[in-house]
Amino acid sequence: MFAVVSTLSEALEAEAAGADAIVVQGMEAGGHRAAFNPEKAERELVGLFALLPIVVDAVHVPVIATGGVADARGIVAALALGASAVQIGTGYLRCPEAEIHPAWADAIGQSAPEGTLVSRVFSGRPGRSIATRYVIAATGPDAPPPAPYPVQRGLTAPMRSEANRDTSVDRLQAWAGQGGRLSRSDPAGEFTRRLWAEAQAMLAA
């Protein structure tokens, strides 16, 4: 059993519950937060490379690193900090096999790390996405707070459905991690082989 955690206390709790491996998710990750307690998710945002070595030192099971890693340099850094493996998410979203909306894929490739936001405006639970016009407006000081999950997801369903016809990313549920600009549009197999070859070359240097 793999458990995805985003804090040290969650990692210890997961190991005590019998997890065979622990996936450490940094705050840089795209999509919904892997927080045990959603109410604390936005207050306990910890970067991967701060959290990873502390969890590695604290547990006795293999640790898998994820969040913001999308190239060989990130892989090597995670392995150097004690990870047994690395998981990449946003880095693969532009691969043709992902079949995401072209506007979403283009936005990922152009995004700066600060061009993403963690918000509850799509589903009612915290998730990191491209900072689109909708996200910025819905998180503004005058915007009403999002409804709880899954009510908010239902409320945004018509918008998200209509957005698939758009040529703009502004209404899409465009999940993305902070390392999105490092992603590539190559086929997934080719991208994977290149990542590992480059990582091996760095490790051997």
Side-chain angles (χ1 to χ4, degrees), residues 2-35:
F2 285 23
V4 185
V5 307
S6 55
T7 65
L8 173 60
S9 61
E10 290 176 355
L12 295 172
E13 187 177 343
E15 183 179 44
D20 298 303
I22 292 172
V23 181
V24 173
Q25 184 196 62
M27 61 178 272
E28 304 92 338
H32 285 110
R33 307 296 307 131

Side-chain angles (χ1 to χ4, degrees), residues 46-70:
V46 187
L48 176 63
F49 292 141
L51 181 61
L52 176 60
I54 292 172
V55 172
V56 168
D57 289 347
V59 302
H60 302 88
V61 295
V63 174
I64 300 161
T66 192
V69 178

Side-chain angles (χ1 to χ4, degrees), residues 4 7 13-14 34 36 45 67 69 73-74 79 87 96 98 107 152 174 178 188 204:
V4 185
T7 65
E13 187 177 343
F36 286 18
L45 294 173
V69 178
R73 293 170 295 181
L79 295 176
Q87 176 179 302
Q152 183 72 11
Q178 290 186 316

Side-chain angles (χ1 to χ4, degrees), residues 35-151:
F36 286 18
N37 184 344
E39 300 309 312
K40 294 183 178 181
E42 290 155 292
R43 298 196 307 270
E44 296 182 344
L45 294 173
V46 187
L48 176 63
F49 292 141
L51 181 61
L52 176 60
I54 292 172
V55 172
V56 168
D57 289 347
V59 302
H60 302 88
V61 295
V63 174
I64 300 161
T66 192
V69 178
D71 70 357
R73 293 170 295 181
I75 294 171
V76 171
L79 295 176
L81 291 172
S84 297
V86 180
Q87 176 179 302
I88 295 174
T90 302
Y92 280 98
L93 283 181
R94 294 174 63 213
C95 296
E97 293 88 345
E99 297 183 342
I100 66 172
H101 193 291
W104 180 6
D106 289 345
I108 289 173
Q110 297 169 16
S111 65
E114 64 272 23
T116 65
L117 286 175
V118 174
S119 76
R120 298 172 180 258
V121 299
F122 286 110
S123 69
R125 287 194 174 176
R128 184 177 292 282
S129 71
I130 298 290
T132 63
R133 290 177 62 189
Y134 164 69
V135 172
I136 292 169
T139 56
D142 298 326
Y149 175 87
V151 176

